[in-house]
Amino acid sequence: MARDKKTWSRRRFLHNASLTGAVLAQRGSLSALSAEIPAESIASERVLFFEQSAATWPDALPVGNGRLGAMVFGHPANERLQLNEETVWIGERRDRNNPQANRTPEVRNLLMAGKVHEAEALAAQVMMGVPDRLPCYQTLGDLWLDFDNVPAKVKDYRLELNLDEAVVKTRFSAADAQWTREVFSSAPRNAIVARIESTRPFALTVRLDRPAQSETTAAASDRLVMTGAARPVKPTTDPATQELQVGVAFRAELKAIPEGGIVRAAGNTLRIENCRAVTLLLTASTDFRAHDAAGMALACARNLRSAAARSYSELRGEHVADYRRYASRVNLRLVDGPDPLRDVATDKRMERLRNGADDPGLMATYFQFGRYMLISSSRPGTLPANLQGIWNESLDPPWGSKFTININTEMNYWMAESANLGELHAQLFDLLDSTRTFGSATARKYFNARGFVVNHNTDLWGDSIPVDHVQAGVWPMGAAWIALHLFSHYAYTLDAAFLLDRAWPRLKEIAEFFLDYLVAGPDGTLLSGPSQSPENKYKLSNGSTASLCMSPAMDTEIIRAIFDRVSRCSKILNVDDGLRAQVEAAAKRLSPFKIGKTGALQEWNEDYAETEPGHRHISHLFALYPDHQITLRETPDLAKAARAVLERRLANGGGSTGWSRAWIVNCWARLEDGEAAHDSLLALLRNCTRPNLFDVCGMKANSPFQIDGNLGGTAGVIEMLLQSHGGVVRFLPALPSAWPSGSFRGLRARGNIEVDCAWHNGKATIATLRANSDARIALAAPAGQRILRVTRLGKQVPLQPVDAQTAQMDLRAASQYRVTFA
């Protein structure tokens, strides 16, 4: 089937006018709280630096603008910039639904009859996609800079990533010359910019290449062009079961602008000689967006012309200003005063941490690095961050570097709203939109259902079918989980136009699918299935193991959440009373939460024995986090059972991947156990984080990089310091003793509120609320404290006490409130 490049929604983010105006106004002046944060402390928490170049790809430093990414190694003599363009994927748009999908009800009947193994065998035959593996994301290639007469060993070496500017800088001295190199990825110019300066004239050779399927030519004396196409690594032998030899075509162009000296073509390279400074501009385009070779050439020419019309200082200044629109909104300080370790290299600080030391300053850097990675891999108009953000050096990366939507892709965006990066959430919504065409066909062919459904993975093409194998692929909850992010965006912004135009249509379609998908069990309970608790297995009474089942806990929790959001949307928007009545009636018939014989929340509808008690997924805790069906105060017994899940998982080796440990951090924070949350945050950095702060999917030295642990860890830090579910803004709900004093500025709470807070000796001292909408909220002081007073424009605001720790109040739009504690 021909590729349809128009399927990816490019709808720009819908801004609430009052929110935009309020945020812009706030940037003009800092609150009194922000003035309390020492500038040198902020600076130290926004720089990663090293005293040697990166030896391997996972230790290089990333730059990105959402579309173009690079990994900078910092080699003095032979520099490498590994390149990515977000749409370089293999594959094509094609119908992958199983021709026998209409037999899916037979799989369900076998499960309900207790014939689990027969059901799994049939599912492998009639439910898995054809082909049963999705296309993958590939590298664009490499930019090589080979310098004459620069030794491998140099003096005064420093490689740094400035998180305040989004610039990687390399500095060193060699042969009586001082060298400075800078690399950044400019969103305004859609180009990667590299600047090389030396106090003495230098010469270098510039190369562009790729591991396969590319050709580089010198298009002019100062310009290289690399063209090619993404193709599967393994040859196709059977079109019915493997990927065809097709993929996205690409074009990358590089222009060299020396200051003094000369530049000339030398075969398929550029030779630059006798200059003291040179700027390299690299851009790329693919036929996913530009449609054909002529379109790609035109796009590259336009980008290079635009970038080359500006001086390096103009390009850099424009880039930094653009990046800071997002980055400068939030500050975090976890040390009292200047960071005492600010002059220690990042990898050495990581080594100290692994050897048992604590490092709150490094935790703050890790937090800002997570925000940096989302800003750099997800911008309005781009694809969302995939398993590796946008950074991938491989032609066949781990798990295809796809969008894995049974936890990983959603985790990438857990912190988008609370970290004050709500505009970057829209790319996830675009991904959901892109799956609707195939997803509706899958819903119809597999379940004879309305709406649309997506299983545990999707890709550039918006695929929706079960893939890989039955034990992971059959999980019809992926689209539903992403759809919940739509309502989350509304909860943080109160943007009624967004709710009506974008969230409601998708939530309605997902609800319609579930109403058709659910079936009544013998007792009248509505059951989901065939499904599974993601990637986990249970034991049957005969000792055998299985994955497929009816109504695993996570299914029920996600469906319950969808029905709740649809009901709330219907009431807020005053639309579709009939659908609201249906989902409210169906919600009452869903399986209830169950506590098993171990005292832990059940993962399956039956109290099965666990095959792997320390499994990496904690899917049945979805109701604790990211949702809030289970809370300490409203469902204390279930909260206790959730705690038992965490304790049991960790006692049996759980949390061994970065993303898994990040999820655990967030769950401990929801249980308001700051010490346990901090212990897991330390474990995340000590066991699953590389010296450059890249998350890894495992505890082995060669475990692959995944971005989800970084972004989930950032969400966890926020959850420890500020929570706002259930209509209550909670200050420092899980503050650990390791962070006795500190402050944050610019975090966001539900209700369209921006929050600052400072604390000293473990006690909150002052907070600021900037309200962008009228809202009625409750404020909860940290444990052992109470809200002393709230003032607006110097006048005390009426509070209605709820309990010793909590009080309700009304917020007025475009107003700032000062909160003090006792």
Side-chain angles (χ1 to χ4, degrees), residues 471-726:
Q471 288 72 28
V474 178
W475 188 71
M477 298 289 135
W481 192 345
I482 294 176
L484 291 171
H485 280 246
L486 290 161
F487 192 87
S488 178
H489 174 69
Y490 167 75
Y492 276 90
T493 64
L494 301 184
D495 187 341
F498 174 88
L499 188 68
L500 176 64
D501 296 338
R502 190 135 203 209
W504 169 250
R506 297 294 86 78
L507 288 165
K508 178 180 179 180
E509 290 171 328
I510 298 294
E512 289 172 340
F513 168 74
F514 283 144
L515 290 172
D516 294 346
Y517 166 71
L518 293 166
V519 296
D523 62 354
T525 300
L526 292 179
L527 305 176
S528 64
S531 191
Q532 63 185 284
S533 190
E535 302 180 31
N536 205 356
K537 293 183 177 182
Y538 57 89
K539 287 184 180 179
L540 295 164
S541 58
N542 63 6
S544 64
T545 64
S547 296
L548 288 192
C549 63
M550 297 296 292
S551 284
M554 190 186 208
D555 273 26
T556 304
E557 293 165 10
I558 290 176
I559 295 169
R560 184 182 292 118
I562 287 288
F563 287 169
D564 171 74
R565 303 321 188 260
V566 167
S567 175
R568 291 164 66 181
C569 283
S570 174
K571 293 174 182 176
I572 294 167
L573 299 172
N574 193 26
V575 296
D576 212 331
D577 295 348
L579 180 61
R580 181 169 78 241
Q582 290 181 64
V583 299
E584 289 176 351
K588 295 175 182 177
R589 297 176 60 192
L590 294 174
S591 298
F593 291 105
K594 298 179 180 180
I595 298 174
K597 55 183 173 291
T598 65
L601 192 71
Q602 278 185 204
E603 187 165 356
W604 296 275
N605 204 30
E606 304 295 330
D607 196 8
Y608 293 122
E610 299 165 304
T611 300
E612 189 180 347
H615 196 266
R616 60 194 177 277
H617 284 260
I618 49 173
S619 302
H620 45 320
L621 295 191
F622 170 90
L624 175 67
Y625 186 91
D627 211 40
H628 49 271
Q629 299 169 38
I630 297 175
T631 67
L632 275 175
R633 293 163 185 82
E634 296 181 4
T635 60
D637 291 340
L638 293 176
K640 181 180 178 181
R643 172 180 284 273
V645 171
L646 294 172
E647 292 171 343
R648 183 173 174 82
R649 280 289 204 268
L650 291 173
N652 288 277
S656 59
T657 68
W659 62 262
S660 177
R661 183 62 74 162
W663 196 352
I664 290 170
V665 172
N666 283 277
C667 286
W668 282 127
R670 277 290 171 90
L671 293 173
E672 299 180 23
D673 190 332
E675 301 310 312
H678 182 256
D679 286 347
S680 275
L681 193 60
L682 283 173
L684 173 61
L685 269 76
R686 287 170 174 165
N687 303 327
C688 303
T689 305
R690 295 187 69 87
N692 66 345
L693 303 189
F694 260 22
D695 172 77
V696 292
C697 187
M699 299 173 67
K700 298 180 180 178
N702 62 346
S703 296
F705 159 62
Q706 282 190 195
I707 198 173
D708 41 26
N710 286 108
L711 304 186
T714 297
V717 172
I718 297 172
E719 205 70 18
M720 294 166 72
L721 300 176
L722 180 70
Q723 296 178 19
S724 60
H725 54 280

Side-chain angles (χ1 to χ4, degrees), residues 79-145:
E79 176 63 300
R80 177 190 178 194
L81 275 65
Q82 183 273 317
L83 308 170
N84 286 105
E85 200 281 346
E86 60 167 354
T87 61
V88 178
W89 288 63
I90 66 170
E92 62 181 340
R93 183 170 171 78
R94 60 186 288 194
D95 184 358
R96 299 170 185 269
N97 288 292
N98 193 301
Q100 301 183 72
N102 62 354
R103 297 184 61 188
T104 296
E106 297 177 36
V107 179
R108 175 188 286 155
N109 292 338
L110 287 170
L111 288 172
M112 295 183 72
K115 299 179 179 180
V116 177
H117 296 305
E118 293 90 335
E120 292 192 334
L122 182 61
Q125 176 185 341
V126 307
M127 295 188 70
M128 301 309 295
V130 180
D132 61 4
R133 183 187 180 195
L134 289 185
C136 73
Y137 174 56
Q138 290 189 339
T139 180
L140 174 64
D142 294 280
L143 169 60
W144 300 90
L145 309 178

Side-chain angles (χ1 to χ4, degrees), residues 83-336:
L83 308 170
N84 286 105
E85 200 281 346
E86 60 167 354
T87 61
V88 178
W89 288 63
I90 66 170
E92 62 181 340
R93 183 170 171 78
R94 60 186 288 194
D95 184 358
R96 299 170 185 269
N97 288 292
N98 193 301
Q100 301 183 72
N102 62 354
R103 297 184 61 188
T104 296
E106 297 177 36
V107 179
R108 175 188 286 155
N109 292 338
L110 287 170
L111 288 172
M112 295 183 72
K115 299 179 179 180
V116 177
H117 296 305
E118 293 90 335
E120 292 192 334
L122 182 61
Q125 176 185 341
V126 307
M127 295 188 70
M128 301 309 295
V130 180
D132 61 4
R133 183 187 180 195
L134 289 185
C136 73
Y137 174 56
Q138 290 189 339
T139 180
L140 174 64
D142 294 280
L143 169 60
W144 300 90
L145 309 178
D146 301 323
F147 292 86
D148 294 3
N149 303 317
V150 175
K153 293 184 178 180
V154 296
K155 298 178 181 179
D156 306 318
Y157 183 91
R158 179 181 170 107
L159 173 66
E160 72 174 40
L161 169 58
N162 187 318
L163 301 177
D164 190 47
E165 298 183 332
V167 175
V168 170
K169 179 182 290 188
T170 309
R171 291 182 293 180
F172 60 89
S173 59
D176 298 323
Q178 307 299 314
W179 290 78
T180 302
R181 303 174 189 166
E182 292 188 331
V183 180
F184 58 86
S185 186
S186 167
R189 300 301 128 206
N190 196 19
I192 292 172
V193 181
R195 174 75 170 181
I196 305 154
E197 296 179 356
S198 174
T199 56
R200 297 178 65 86
F202 62 86
L204 77 153
T205 299
V206 181
R207 297 182 285 129
L208 269 179
D209 64 18
R210 188 174 190 266
Q213 302 291 340
S214 72
E215 179 182 8
T216 301
T217 59
S221 61
D222 61 352
R223 191 160 57 91
L224 295 179
V225 175
M226 181 175 69
T227 57
R231 293 290 186 267
V233 174
K234 299 176 182 178
T236 298
T237 57
D238 180 1
T241 58
Q242 294 198 28
E243 201 62 53
L244 301 177
Q245 287 289 318
V246 293
V248 171
F250 59 82
R251 180 184 182 96
E253 291 198 22
L254 178 139
K255 181 178 178 64
I257 306 174
E259 297 179 16
I262 62 169
V263 57
R264 58 182 172 85
N268 61 354
T269 70
L270 295 183
R271 182 69 182 163
I272 300 170
E273 297 173 337
N274 199 34
C275 69
R276 296 193 182 204
V278 62
T279 301
L280 303 177
L281 307 174
L282 183 138
T283 191
S285 181
T286 74
D287 66 352
F288 182 75
R289 291 194 176 93
H291 306 296
D292 56 25
M296 290 188 287
L298 182 63
C300 287
R302 182 176 60 247
N303 292 339
L304 287 183
R305 185 167 56 250
S306 172
R310 289 157 175 80
S311 68
Y312 176 71
S313 62
E314 289 172 333
L315 288 169
R316 193 185 194 280
E318 177 187 56
H319 157 73
V320 170
D322 174 75
Y323 167 74
R324 283 180 177 169
R325 289 189 301 124
Y326 305 103
S328 64
R329 297 174 184 174
V330 173
N331 282 326
L332 174 66
R333 181 172 60 91
L334 297 177
V335 294
D336 192 4

Side-chain angles (χ1 to χ4, degrees), residues 8-19:
W8 192 275
S9 171
R10 291 297 160 200
R11 297 180 62 184
R12 302 291 285 184
F13 199 71
L14 291 172
H15 286 287
N16 179 290
S18 63
L19 168 62

